[in-house]
Short mmCIF file of all heavy atoms in Angstrom, two decimals:
data_model
loop_
_atom_site.label_atom_id
_atom_site.label_comp_id
_atom_site.label_asym_id
_atom_site.label_seq_id
_atom_site.Cartn_x
_atom_site.Cartn_y
_atom_site.Cartn_z
N ARG A 170 -14.69 5.77 -29.14
CA ARG A 170 -13.45 5.34 -28.49
C ARG A 170 -13.63 4.24 -27.43
O ARG A 170 -12.85 3.32 -27.36
CB ARG A 170 -12.78 6.65 -27.73
CG ARG A 170 -11.39 6.31 -27.09
CD ARG A 170 -10.68 7.39 -26.68
NE ARG A 170 -9.35 7.13 -26.10
CZ ARG A 170 -9.21 6.85 -24.84
NH1 ARG A 170 -10.26 6.94 -23.92
NH2 ARG A 170 -8.07 6.53 -24.37
N GLU A 171 -14.68 4.40 -26.68
CA GLU A 171 -14.95 3.27 -25.63
C GLU A 171 -15.21 1.90 -26.35
O GLU A 171 -14.69 0.92 -25.86
CB GLU A 171 -16.25 3.64 -24.80
CG GLU A 171 -15.91 4.75 -23.79
CD GLU A 171 -14.95 4.36 -22.78
OE1 GLU A 171 -15.06 3.31 -22.21
OE2 GLU A 171 -13.96 5.11 -22.63
N LEU A 172 -15.87 1.89 -27.49
CA LEU A 172 -16.14 0.65 -28.16
C LEU A 172 -14.74 0.06 -28.65
O LEU A 172 -14.51 -1.13 -28.55
CB LEU A 172 -17.09 0.88 -29.38
CG LEU A 172 -18.54 1.07 -29.01
CD1 LEU A 172 -19.39 1.49 -30.17
CD2 LEU A 172 -19.06 -0.22 -28.37
N LEU A 173 -13.95 0.94 -29.18
CA LEU A 173 -12.60 0.48 -29.68
C LEU A 173 -11.75 -0.03 -28.54
O LEU A 173 -11.02 -0.99 -28.64
CB LEU A 173 -12.00 1.60 -30.41
CG LEU A 173 -12.55 1.93 -31.80
CD1 LEU A 173 -11.75 3.22 -32.49
CD2 LEU A 173 -12.50 0.79 -32.80
N LYS A 174 -11.79 0.63 -27.42
CA LYS A 174 -11.06 0.25 -26.24
C LYS A 174 -11.61 -1.19 -25.78
O LYS A 174 -10.74 -1.98 -25.46
CB LYS A 174 -11.27 1.19 -25.05
CG LYS A 174 -10.45 2.45 -25.22
CD LYS A 174 -10.79 3.46 -24.09
CE LYS A 174 -10.52 2.91 -22.71
NZ LYS A 174 -10.93 3.96 -21.68
N ASP A 175 -12.86 -1.41 -25.86
CA ASP A 175 -13.41 -2.80 -25.56
C ASP A 175 -12.87 -3.76 -26.48
O ASP A 175 -12.61 -5.01 -26.10
CB ASP A 175 -14.93 -2.65 -25.46
CG ASP A 175 -15.51 -2.15 -24.26
OD1 ASP A 175 -14.66 -1.87 -23.31
OD2 ASP A 175 -16.74 -1.92 -24.12
N ALA A 176 -12.77 -3.37 -27.76
CA ALA A 176 -12.28 -4.31 -28.76
C ALA A 176 -10.81 -4.67 -28.50
O ALA A 176 -10.38 -5.77 -28.73
CB ALA A 176 -12.42 -3.70 -30.14
N GLU A 177 -10.06 -3.68 -28.04
CA GLU A 177 -8.67 -3.99 -27.63
C GLU A 177 -8.52 -4.99 -26.52
O GLU A 177 -7.65 -5.80 -26.36
CB GLU A 177 -7.90 -2.69 -27.22
CG GLU A 177 -7.68 -1.73 -28.43
CD GLU A 177 -6.94 -0.47 -28.02
OE1 GLU A 177 -6.96 -0.20 -26.75
OE2 GLU A 177 -6.45 0.27 -28.87
N ASP A 178 -9.61 -4.94 -25.63
CA ASP A 178 -9.49 -5.67 -24.33
C ASP A 178 -10.33 -7.00 -24.36
O ASP A 178 -10.65 -7.55 -23.37
CB ASP A 178 -9.97 -4.77 -23.14
CG ASP A 178 -9.09 -3.64 -22.84
OD1 ASP A 178 -7.89 -3.73 -23.37
OD2 ASP A 178 -9.46 -2.61 -22.28
N ILE A 179 -10.62 -7.48 -25.59
CA ILE A 179 -11.52 -8.64 -25.64
C ILE A 179 -10.99 -9.86 -24.78
O ILE A 179 -11.79 -10.49 -24.09
CB ILE A 179 -11.66 -9.01 -27.12
CG1 ILE A 179 -12.70 -8.11 -27.77
CG2 ILE A 179 -12.24 -10.48 -27.17
CD1 ILE A 179 -12.85 -8.41 -29.31
N GLU A 180 -9.75 -10.21 -24.98
CA GLU A 180 -9.24 -11.30 -24.21
C GLU A 180 -9.20 -11.17 -22.77
O GLU A 180 -9.74 -12.09 -22.09
CB GLU A 180 -7.71 -11.57 -24.72
CG GLU A 180 -7.59 -11.83 -26.16
CD GLU A 180 -8.51 -13.06 -26.64
OE1 GLU A 180 -8.62 -13.97 -25.81
OE2 GLU A 180 -9.06 -12.97 -27.69
N GLY A 181 -8.83 -10.09 -22.19
CA GLY A 181 -8.87 -9.84 -20.77
C GLY A 181 -10.28 -9.81 -20.26
O GLY A 181 -10.61 -10.38 -19.18
N ASP A 182 -11.16 -9.20 -21.02
CA ASP A 182 -12.61 -9.15 -20.56
C ASP A 182 -13.22 -10.51 -20.50
O ASP A 182 -14.03 -10.86 -19.66
CB ASP A 182 -13.43 -8.18 -21.51
CG ASP A 182 -13.16 -6.77 -21.42
OD1 ASP A 182 -12.52 -6.42 -20.31
OD2 ASP A 182 -13.29 -5.93 -22.30
N ARG A 183 -12.89 -11.39 -21.48
CA ARG A 183 -13.44 -12.77 -21.50
C ARG A 183 -12.98 -13.54 -20.35
O ARG A 183 -13.72 -14.22 -19.68
CB ARG A 183 -13.01 -13.48 -22.88
CG ARG A 183 -13.51 -14.83 -23.02
CD ARG A 183 -13.14 -15.51 -24.26
NE ARG A 183 -13.79 -14.85 -25.39
CZ ARG A 183 -13.25 -14.24 -26.38
NH1 ARG A 183 -11.87 -14.07 -26.39
NH2 ARG A 183 -13.92 -13.72 -27.46
N ILE A 184 -11.66 -13.34 -20.03
CA ILE A 184 -11.21 -14.04 -18.85
C ILE A 184 -11.81 -13.54 -17.56
O ILE A 184 -12.04 -14.31 -16.59
CB ILE A 184 -9.57 -13.86 -18.77
CG1 ILE A 184 -8.91 -14.55 -19.88
CG2 ILE A 184 -8.99 -14.36 -17.42
CD1 ILE A 184 -7.43 -14.32 -20.04
N GLY A 185 -12.04 -12.24 -17.56
CA GLY A 185 -12.63 -11.59 -16.33
C GLY A 185 -14.15 -11.79 -16.14
O GLY A 185 -14.88 -11.44 -15.28
N GLY A 186 -14.74 -12.44 -17.25
CA GLY A 186 -16.18 -12.62 -17.26
C GLY A 186 -17.07 -11.54 -17.70
O GLY A 186 -18.29 -11.58 -17.56
N ALA A 187 -16.40 -10.43 -18.31
CA ALA A 187 -17.27 -9.39 -18.72
C ALA A 187 -17.86 -9.73 -20.14
O ALA A 187 -17.42 -10.63 -20.80
CB ALA A 187 -16.32 -8.14 -18.89
N ARG A 188 -18.97 -9.06 -20.34
CA ARG A 188 -19.69 -9.13 -21.68
C ARG A 188 -19.69 -7.82 -22.35
O ARG A 188 -20.28 -6.91 -21.86
CB ARG A 188 -21.07 -9.66 -21.57
CG ARG A 188 -21.15 -11.11 -20.95
CD ARG A 188 -22.66 -11.48 -20.64
NE ARG A 188 -23.23 -10.67 -19.58
CZ ARG A 188 -24.37 -10.06 -19.71
NH1 ARG A 188 -25.15 -10.25 -20.69
NH2 ARG A 188 -24.86 -9.32 -18.64
N THR A 189 -18.92 -7.76 -23.52
CA THR A 189 -18.82 -6.50 -24.28
C THR A 189 -19.40 -6.63 -25.65
O THR A 189 -19.41 -7.76 -26.19
CB THR A 189 -17.46 -5.93 -24.29
OG1 THR A 189 -16.64 -6.84 -25.03
CG2 THR A 189 -16.95 -5.75 -22.87
N LEU A 190 -19.80 -5.56 -26.27
CA LEU A 190 -20.30 -5.68 -27.60
C LEU A 190 -19.26 -6.25 -28.67
O LEU A 190 -19.55 -7.08 -29.44
CB LEU A 190 -20.81 -4.33 -28.05
CG LEU A 190 -21.50 -4.29 -29.49
CD1 LEU A 190 -22.70 -5.12 -29.48
CD2 LEU A 190 -21.84 -2.81 -29.85
N PRO A 191 -17.99 -5.84 -28.54
CA PRO A 191 -16.97 -6.40 -29.37
C PRO A 191 -16.82 -7.78 -29.37
O PRO A 191 -16.38 -8.53 -30.34
CB PRO A 191 -15.68 -5.63 -29.04
CG PRO A 191 -16.11 -4.25 -28.41
CD PRO A 191 -17.46 -4.67 -27.71
N MET A 192 -17.08 -8.46 -28.18
CA MET A 192 -16.93 -9.88 -28.01
C MET A 192 -17.96 -10.53 -28.86
O MET A 192 -17.93 -11.70 -29.26
CB MET A 192 -17.12 -10.22 -26.56
CG MET A 192 -16.01 -9.81 -25.67
SD MET A 192 -16.33 -10.03 -23.90
CE MET A 192 -16.30 -11.82 -23.73
N ARG A 193 -19.04 -9.91 -29.25
CA ARG A 193 -20.20 -10.42 -30.00
C ARG A 193 -20.05 -10.20 -31.52
O ARG A 193 -20.32 -11.05 -32.33
CB ARG A 193 -21.56 -9.87 -29.55
CG ARG A 193 -21.81 -10.32 -28.00
CD ARG A 193 -23.33 -9.99 -27.74
NE ARG A 193 -23.69 -10.35 -26.45
CZ ARG A 193 -24.98 -10.23 -26.01
NH1 ARG A 193 -25.91 -9.71 -26.65
NH2 ARG A 193 -25.24 -10.70 -24.80
N ILE A 194 -19.62 -8.97 -31.77
CA ILE A 194 -19.54 -8.56 -33.22
C ILE A 194 -18.14 -8.43 -33.81
O ILE A 194 -17.95 -8.23 -35.02
CB ILE A 194 -20.31 -7.21 -33.48
CG1 ILE A 194 -19.53 -5.99 -32.87
CG2 ILE A 194 -21.71 -7.27 -32.95
CD1 ILE A 194 -20.11 -4.78 -33.09
N GLY A 195 -17.13 -8.65 -32.96
CA GLY A 195 -15.74 -8.67 -33.51
C GLY A 195 -15.08 -7.38 -33.66
O GLY A 195 -15.78 -6.34 -33.45
N VAL A 196 -13.82 -7.33 -33.88
CA VAL A 196 -13.10 -6.17 -33.98
C VAL A 196 -13.52 -5.26 -35.12
O VAL A 196 -13.79 -4.14 -35.04
CB VAL A 196 -11.56 -6.46 -34.01
CG1 VAL A 196 -10.79 -5.20 -34.33
CG2 VAL A 196 -11.11 -7.05 -32.74
N ARG A 197 -13.62 -5.88 -36.28
CA ARG A 197 -14.00 -5.08 -37.46
C ARG A 197 -15.51 -4.59 -37.36
O ARG A 197 -15.73 -3.39 -37.73
CB ARG A 197 -13.88 -5.95 -38.75
CG ARG A 197 -14.28 -5.30 -40.02
CD ARG A 197 -13.67 -5.94 -41.22
NE ARG A 197 -12.29 -5.86 -41.19
CZ ARG A 197 -11.55 -6.61 -42.12
NH1 ARG A 197 -12.12 -7.43 -42.97
NH2 ARG A 197 -10.26 -6.57 -42.04
#
Side-chain angles (χ1 to χ4, degrees):
R170 182 170 181 269
E171 286 297 311
L172 286 169
L173 290 176
K174 283 173 60 183
D175 279 353
E177 290 180 344
D178 294 340
I179 285 176
E180 296 306 322
D182 288 342
R183 182 178 289 116
I184 293 172
R188 293 175 296 136
T189 64
L190 187 61
M192 293 170 68
R193 295 188 175 187
I194 66 175
V196 172
R197 181 162 291 169

